[in-house]
Amino acid sequence: MCSSDLLDGSDNFSNIGGNASVAISLASAKAAASSYGLPLYQFLGGNLTVELPYPLGNVIGGGAHAKNATDIQEILVVPVGASDITEALFANAEVHRAIKRILGERVKGFIGGKGDEGAWVVSLGNEEAFDIATKACEDVENNTSITVRLGADVASSELWDEEKEKYVYNKEDKELDSGEQIEYMKELVDTYNLYYLEDPIMEEDFHSFGELTNSVSNCLICGDDLYVTDTKRIKKGIKLNSTNSVLIKPNQIGTLTDTYKAVKLTKNHRLTPVISHRSGETVDETIAHLAVGFNCPLIKTGVVGGGRIAKLNELIRISEELGQRSKMAQLPI
């Protein structure tokens, strides 16, 4: 049991708070690793740990994180063709840079505004934003031969109107019922060859999640708000075949122990765990070690900005420390 469990006494850390709890838990793990003279990733994963995660980064932001921008909260990129972590980080950064150039050419008055995760924020429709991101990925692939695929965090719970029982897209001026939302998400996956799709359905609709997951191929359908890194909710999703991927946020569940349980449960049922940052991140680099130590194939941690770069730089340091043992994780699709 983590010391934060003993300090708090509640089942959701309502007394000391989740931020304090996770800080205590991770600090305890780092202290234990240090006592053995080991880096945290090796303390957690053992001597055979050699795989590094592919970075999943936000390049165009909207939704609740950026008013008057896209209804979809995040358009993401993942460099599936990268041969090592340095090449992967470089490819994502190049896509981010290419998007700025394309926005400058196509959007009158674009001044380079960014959200709190460093993604570009501009008044665009969803499809227009995807088209621009697609063009940027193609440009980078033509210049580097590194394949970069798109993803998205729809944050559908933010779009869901409980009274109307519809998903409301204000920028697009449309309202979709649950069936129409599933069809729209399928259309996005097919049109833009999405590799990753997070929270495409509102957080309580496990059944619609499952309908979408079972009707698309070559795409990770990932639950964040659906699961909140809680094993009880993950078990429900497993039972209903809701998703094929689970977002893992340590400070969402409160302790490293509970984070490990969520990862283990996810992997035991052949779902893909994605270690993730949160909005408003600090420069703490711990999740880089968790991704490597727990052998997670993807890490969602931005592309630019101090709190994001800290994790990415730590992955490079881990790769250098591993030397010839270092290799990229095996992607699930």
Side-chain angles (χ1 to χ4, degrees):
M1 180 177 291
C2 174
S3 57
S4 52
D5 291 317
L6 299 173
L7 284 170
D8 185 272
S10 70
D11 61 358
N12 62 357
F13 300 105
S14 58
N15 292 321
I16 67 173
N19 285 333
S21 169
V22 77
I24 294 168
S25 181
L26 295 178
S28 298
K30 287 183 176 182
S34 179
S35 72
Y36 284 96
L38 297 173
L40 182 59
Y41 72 86
Q42 189 175 347
F43 178 74
L44 296 173
N47 289 326
L48 297 179
T49 299
V50 295
E51 295 186 346
L52 280 86
Y54 284 82
L56 183 64
N58 185 4
V59 289
I60 298 178
H65 290 177
K67 293 182 178 179
N68 300 318
T70 55
D71 291 309
I72 290 176
Q73 187 162 281
E74 299 173 2
I75 293 179
L76 305 154
V77 290
V78 55
V80 297
S83 61
D84 58 46
I85 190 63
T86 301
E87 191 172 77
L89 304 185
F90 169 80
N92 277 4
E94 285 299 300
V95 173
H96 188 273
R97 183 181 303 174
I99 287 173
K100 180 182 181 181
R101 173 182 54 79
I102 296 168
L103 287 172
E105 294 169 353
R106 296 190 184 183
V107 181
K108 184 177 180 181
F110 175 65
I111 58 173
K114 296 179 185 177
D116 68 344
E117 293 182 12
W120 302 114
V121 174
V122 63
S123 181
L124 293 172
N126 295 327
E127 283 75 15
E128 187 179 8
F130 275 114
D131 288 339
I132 288 171
T134 298
K135 177 64 165 62
C137 289
E138 290 172 349
D139 289 350
V140 169
E141 183 170 356
N142 289 336
N143 292 329
T144 66
S145 298
I146 302 172
T147 300
V148 183
R149 286 180 62 181
L150 292 180
D153 176 3
V154 183
S156 288
S157 292
E158 299 291 339
L159 302 173
W160 179 253
D161 187 307
E162 192 68 38
E163 291 186 3
K164 294 181 178 180
E165 295 189 345
K166 296 241 180 119
Y167 295 91
V168 178
Y169 290 80
N170 291 316
K171 189 74 177 179
E172 304 286 332
D173 192 27
K174 64 182 179 184
E175 298 180 358
L176 305 178
D177 62 26
S178 294
E180 292 168 331
Q181 177 73 359
I182 292 171
E183 291 303 313
Y184 181 42
M185 293 298 106
K186 287 166 60 177
E187 180 184 334
L188 291 179
V189 170
D190 291 340
T191 302
Y192 299 104
N193 189 30
L194 298 187
Y195 182 86
Y196 174 92
L197 188 59
E198 181 182 324
D199 284 347
I201 305 295
M202 65 88 72
E203 62 197 53
E204 296 302 331
D205 194 350
F206 284 79
H207 291 280
S208 291
F209 257 100
E211 186 175 340
L212 175 62
T213 299
N214 292 327
S215 61
V216 300
S217 59
N218 297 318
C219 182
L220 291 177
I221 305 299
C222 187
D224 174 19
D225 296 339
L226 182 72
Y227 295 131
V228 292
T229 320
D230 186 330
T231 54
K232 293 179 182 178
R233 293 184 67 90
I234 295 171
K235 287 177 181 176
K236 181 176 180 180
I238 290 168
K239 183 178 180 180
L240 297 173
N241 295 313
S242 296
T243 69
N244 54 20
S245 179
V246 178
L247 204 70
I248 305 291
K249 294 178 177 176
N251 69 344
Q252 196 174 50
I253 195 60
T255 69
L256 179 57
T257 300
D258 288 322
T259 301
Y260 170 71
K261 290 178 180 178
V263 172
K264 184 178 180 181
L265 176 65
T266 297
K267 294 178 73 172
N268 283 349
H269 288 84
R270 299 184 179 180
L271 276 64
T272 300
V274 180
I275 291 286
S276 177
H277 62 185
R278 299 293 300 272
S279 296
E281 270 285 351
T282 70
V283 294
D284 180 76
E285 81 294 342
T286 308
I287 64 168
H289 287 260
L290 301 189
V292 177
F294 293 156
N295 194 26
C296 298
L298 293 165
I299 182 169
K300 186 183 180 189
T301 184
V303 177
V304 298
R308 322 296 162 178
I309 293 295
K311 283 81 166 168
L312 302 176
N313 283 343
E314 190 67 9
L315 289 172
I316 293 175
R317 294 188 191 99
I318 292 171
S319 176
E320 291 174 345
E321 185 173 288
L322 288 169
Q324 292 185 347
R325 292 192 299 146
S326 175
K327 63 180 181 180
M328 297 302 290
Q330 183 175 349
L331 286 169
I333 56 174

